[in-house]
Amino acid sequence: MALFDVSGYKNHLELRGNILGTGVRHFNFGTTNQEFAVPAGMDPSGFLKSCSREGQGGVSIDLNHGTTTLAFKFRHGVIVAVDSRASAGSYIASKEANKVIEINPYLLGTMSGSAADCQYWERLLAKECRLYKLRNKKRISVSAASKLLCNMMLGYRGMGLSMGSMIIGWDDKGPGLYYVDDNGTRLSGRMFSTGCGNSYAYGVVDSGYHEDMTVEEAYELGRRGITHATHRDAYSGGVVNLYHMQEDGWIKVCKEDVSELIHRYKKGMF
Amino acid sequence: MAERGYSFSLTTFSPSGKLVQIEYALSAVAAGAPSVGIKASNGVVLATEKKQKSILYDETSVHKVEPITKHIGMVYSGMGPDYRVLLKKARKLAQQYFLVYQEPIPTAQLVQRISSVMQEYTQSGGVRPFGVSLLIAGWDDACPFLFQSDPSGAYFAWKATAMGKNYMSGKTFLEKRYNMDLEVDDAIHTAILTLKESFEGQMTEDNIEVGICTETGFRRLTTAEVKDYLAAIV
């Protein structure tokens, strides 16, 4: 009504909406709000492509990429093994990057793809998990945690995020392993491997896996998977960080240099 | 005396520190049809009186005990139209939670959210509080829950409670009859007896409604089942 407009009258729902951010929105399907605004009409993925080496001359931005991570379920829990090389194009930015985020004593997240994206979004996931525990008085399930991460990815789908992550945990339903990536894919499974070295890791773990493995055999399999992948993949290397998710939480098993490990394994190979 | 001048504005405190409109909303609830909730060891029972003013009413078309999700259900005392609005909101809130977490909403979370909606209507301009108190029954994991949500936005967890007309005598009756080891069948029996205390006229399967929430989920009892329970009382 004209008089309302002139006098600046806003009805209570609008005012409430302004304060609480929950005003009438036609496409609000209850998913969490976006973390940061993206200017309308901007095309982040196109822009990123133009900045990388494939684009026109000038300064090129190479995002930190390249990894091998793997995780598999077995009788006594879940084994998680990751490498530690952070590469920016052909430059090795770090040989001891930490690619596992310890969300809480019962939840782990692995990172592959763009290091910045993984670190940011998984720390945000850790925050949401803490809030969930405070509000619900019980720990978040692995399924719900992976769903939260997946929702964040879907909010920015097509905008150039790069993240391939596994969420590992132990909750009321037992050991949990989910794969979440930047397309919004979310899969539950018994074994996953991500990163550009994943095919080598799959080969090793698929052929060495059997249902009644002991805990030590499982550790060895996880180590071998990463070691052989780092041997063949230029963008993976550094050390193997090995974790074991058990019923009463995760333990960090070891942190071993792959160059020592590969010599140990090669001796057995030839 | 001095209270009276403050009783018409929702958003103004009276000198004694009350929001008089909310007190009046509670009176509207206390004038509504009685309802009862009892938490048993293996489930929760909700029951309410559904007296129709005329035999021409089609009592199968409108229900007071309604499911919100597969594992949570609700009943009310007070104004029916206000209940419908809250029921719709509760269902939507539960689905929004599911969209984000892909898990059924814990009962306490749903109650907290719906109570916060009711509270919004006590602190805004141009609106009045809801004239209903809700009884929400749910089953999370292996635990039954029973909550009451008031027009003020306050919510309470109960082992057993009564609302609406004669709620005080209903509560006294329940205090005597309740014990921790009740099973759902006994709880249904007790709930019906509690309603009977303040029931005028003959109680039949058409003028009460009963809902139960167990590990298989929430459902409203059919009139045939209610008839069986009534026959056991007589």
Side-chain angles (χ1 to χ4, degrees):
Chain A
M1 192 161 106
L3 184 58
F4 283 178
D5 290 340
V6 164
S7 63
Y9 174 85
K10 285 201 185 86
N11 78 17
H12 82 287
L13 281 171
E14 247 182 84
L15 278 171
R16 190 109 202 166
N18 289 343
I19 300 168
L20 294 179
T22 53
V24 173
R25 284 203 212 115
H26 296 286
F27 294 101
N28 178 19
F29 298 119
T31 48
T32 47
N33 298 324
Q34 289 206 315
E35 267 300 301
F36 47 85
V38 178
M42 194 193 164
D43 174 24
S45 50
F47 169 72
L48 281 171
K49 238 192 226 138
S50 66
C51 291
S52 70
R53 236 172 308 144
E54 294 102 68
Q56 295 308 301
V59 179
S60 69
I61 300 176
D62 288 324
L63 301 175
N64 290 355
H65 263 135
T67 306
T68 313
T69 70
L70 67 86
F72 58 87
K73 282 191 200 172
F74 72 120
R75 187 167 294 169
H76 305 283
V78 192
I79 297 293
V80 184
V82 302
D83 77 313
S84 67
R85 176 173 292 182
S87 51
S90 58
Y91 170 69
I92 297 179
S94 166
K95 64 174 167 49
E96 282 202 47
N98 187 9
K99 300 188 188 182
V100 173
I101 177 170
E102 299 158 4
I103 296 172
N104 67 45
Y106 289 79
L107 262 185
L108 290 173
T110 66
M111 312 184 191
S112 71
S114 156
D117 284 338
C118 288
Q119 283 176 357
Y120 179 78
W121 293 104
E122 293 196 24
R123 286 192 73 208
L124 204 58
L125 174 64
K127 177 201 88 168
E128 286 297 328
C129 292
R130 277 194 296 273
L131 278 175
Y132 183 99
K133 176 149 194 266
L134 283 168
R135 288 172 184 151
N136 287 275
K137 297 184 194 137
K138 60 191 269 242
R139 266 194 306 270
I140 193 170
S141 66
V142 189
S143 166
S146 61
K147 183 70 180 167
L148 284 179
L149 188 60
C150 173
N151 291 339
M152 295 172 199
M153 293 298 106
L154 286 169
Y156 290 91
R157 190 172 141 94
M159 293 193 206
L161 288 181
S162 164
M163 186 199 81
S165 150
M166 296 181 291
I167 305 294
I168 301 101
W170 197 301
D171 58 27
D172 294 332
K173 303 180 195 110
L177 170 57
Y178 282 82
Y179 166 75
V180 180
D181 78 8
D182 50 73
N183 296 317
T185 306
R186 174 177 163 264
L187 302 166
S188 169
R190 289 192 64 80
M191 194 234 158
F192 289 108
S193 175
T194 70
C196 46
N198 71 352
S199 18
Y200 307 110
Y202 274 128
V204 171
V205 179
D206 281 340
S207 55
Y209 183 91
H210 49 102
E211 186 54 45
D212 45 0
M213 274 191 301
T214 65
V215 173
E216 277 308 317
E217 285 173 342
Y219 290 166
E220 197 50 20
L221 189 62
R223 265 194 293 261
R224 272 184 181 268
I226 296 292
T227 307
H228 288 286
T230 57
H231 182 55
R232 290 289 176 186
D233 177 32
Y235 296 105
S236 305
V239 303
V240 178
N241 283 310
L242 187 65
Y243 290 77
H244 179 188
M245 179 64 68
Q246 301 165 316
E247 189 164 359
D248 48 0
W250 54 261
I251 53 165
K252 180 154 188 189
V253 177
C254 71
K255 176 181 164 147
E256 289 181 42
D257 196 314
V258 295
S259 29
E260 284 161 32
L261 283 171
I262 196 65
H263 281 113
R264 220 166 63 201
Y265 297 145
K266 274 196 157 198
K267 242 188 268 174
M269 270 163 65
F270 299 114
Chain B
M1 279 69 65
E3 294 280 299
R4 279 239 312 254
Y6 295 90
S7 68
F8 294 102
S9 167
L10 168 65
T11 51
T12 310
F13 280 104
S14 73
S16 59
K18 291 198 275 203
L19 285 168
V20 193
Q21 276 296 310
I22 295 182
E23 309 283 318
Y24 292 168
L26 287 164
S27 309
V29 169
S35 48
V36 164
I38 302 182
K39 185 167 80 168
S41 57
N42 58 345
V44 192
V45 174
L46 297 175
T48 183
E49 189 186 286
K50 195 175 86 166
K51 274 227 199 98
Q52 306 291 21
K53 295 197 187 76
S54 153
I55 53 162
L56 294 174
Y57 274 103
D58 180 1
E59 62 271 340
T60 56
S61 65
V62 166
H63 296 287
K64 294 178 72 171
V65 173
E66 287 278 12
I68 301 173
T69 68
K70 279 193 218 108
H71 66 296
I72 305 180
M74 178 153 102
V75 78
Y76 74 101
S77 278
M79 297 167 66
D82 287 7
Y83 173 67
R84 279 203 310 272
V85 168
L86 285 170
L87 178 63
K88 196 165 180 212
K89 282 209 167 105
R91 285 173 173 162
K92 191 165 189 188
L93 287 168
Q95 292 310 314
Q96 281 175 346
Y97 182 98
F98 189 80
L99 248 187
V100 174
Y101 292 97
Q102 201 144 344
E103 278 184 348
I105 186 169
T107 314
Q109 285 294 302
L110 178 69
V111 170
Q112 189 264 323
R113 278 158 221 250
I114 201 73
S115 298
S116 136
V117 168
M118 291 169 91
Q119 191 276 342
E120 262 179 52
Y121 282 72
T122 67
Q123 206 180 2
S124 308
V127 295
R128 61 163 176 80
F130 286 97
V132 285
S133 270
L134 303 170
L135 272 179
I136 300 173
W139 181 278
D140 299 334
D141 295 328
C143 279
F145 289 97
L146 174 65
F147 287 93
Q148 174 180 349
S149 189
D150 270 351
S152 58
Y155 59 92
F156 320 95
W158 290 100
K159 295 177 197 158
T161 186
M163 310 189 308
K165 264 202 209 99
N166 297 329
Y167 71 95
M168 285 309 302
S169 60
K171 274 198 186 156
T172 324
F173 185 85
L174 282 169
E175 270 170 33
K176 291 199 208 97
R177 280 261 181 163
Y178 180 80
N179 73 72
M180 308 279 275
D181 307 313
L182 275 178
E183 299 228 328
V184 172
D185 286 318
D186 308 317
I188 299 175
H189 187 85
T190 311
I192 296 178
L193 282 172
T194 316
L195 280 180
K196 207 156 195 232
E197 290 280 298
S198 53
F199 203 94
E200 292 157 18
Q202 174 76 316
M203 195 184 259
T204 72
E205 66 275 11
D206 293 319
N207 52 26
I208 62 166
E209 260 185 31
V210 181
I212 57 169
C213 189
T214 60
E215 84 187 310
T216 51
F218 179 86
R219 68 183 186 86
R220 191 172 43 236
L221 295 184
T222 62
T223 39
E225 289 171 309
V226 175
K227 197 167 177 183
D228 291 335
Y229 280 104
L230 282 173
I233 294 176
V234 151

